[in-house]
Amino acid sequence: MLLVILFFLLSVKAGFAQVDAGDIVKLTNSFRIENNLSPLTVNAKLTEAAKQKANDMIKNNYWSHVSPTGINPWYWIKKTGYRYSYAGENLAQGFEDSSTVLNAWKKSPAHKKNLLTNTFCQIGVATVNGQINGKNTTVVVQMMACPKNGIGSIIENAKKYILG
């Protein structure tokens, strides 16, 4: 018990949050279900893409959807071999736990739109501790997508057919 408390105190003191990727997935799916949407399934390639993106931000000291060298979020997804029809990314840092991350995303129109996009069917989340701009931080990267020929493609094809 003492070790657990000590670890918590040390990690908080070091500036790292108590954000858990699994909790982010659960909270995201709960929010989607509350809004009459299907839950997302975890995809290993999207999780790897999220991890690579988070590590790149820490390694190259930036905080943005696009790297200083112009690498966009879709690069990381494609790099894992995931072929998508639709994809989205949410980022967070500076929050104390998973609930505060989700609550902030829900209050942001762009992040909320990603959380509630009905063409997404899979998710990958990574949390990585490191430094950005000389400050200890926990970077959270959430990648959501639908693979080519998945439900997103079916919906898009149906729209094209209906719209002519």
Side-chain angles (χ1 to χ4, degrees), residues 13-112:
K13 191 173 183 178
F16 298 121
Q18 301 301 308
V19 180
D20 178 74
D23 288 344
I24 295 288
V25 172
K26 287 177 193 170
L27 291 166
T28 297
N29 280 333
S30 292
F31 185 55
R32 288 177 62 85
I33 291 166
E34 288 169 21
N35 286 275
N36 300 313
L37 294 170
S38 298
L40 305 172
T41 57
V42 174
N43 178 279
K45 288 182 179 181
L46 290 176
T47 301
E48 181 60 26
K51 183 177 178 184
Q52 288 179 21
K53 168 68 182 274
N55 284 325
D56 188 68
M57 285 193 292
I58 289 169
K59 178 183 172 191
N60 294 302
N61 197 39
Y62 71 95
W63 177 248
S64 177
H65 291 285
V66 179
S67 77
T69 59
I71 296 172
N72 65 36
W74 328 130
Y75 166 83
W76 303 105
I77 295 173
K78 290 175 187 173
K79 186 177 175 191
T80 67
Y82 188 99
R83 295 182 60 221
Y84 63 90
S85 295
Y86 298 94
E89 175 186 67
N90 283 339
L91 302 177
Q93 74 163 328
F95 295 93
E96 60 187 58
D97 59 35
S98 303
S99 294
T100 57
V101 170
L102 249 293
N103 288 335
W105 284 344
K106 289 185 212 178
K107 291 176 185 173
S108 161
H111 293 95
K112 183 177 180 178

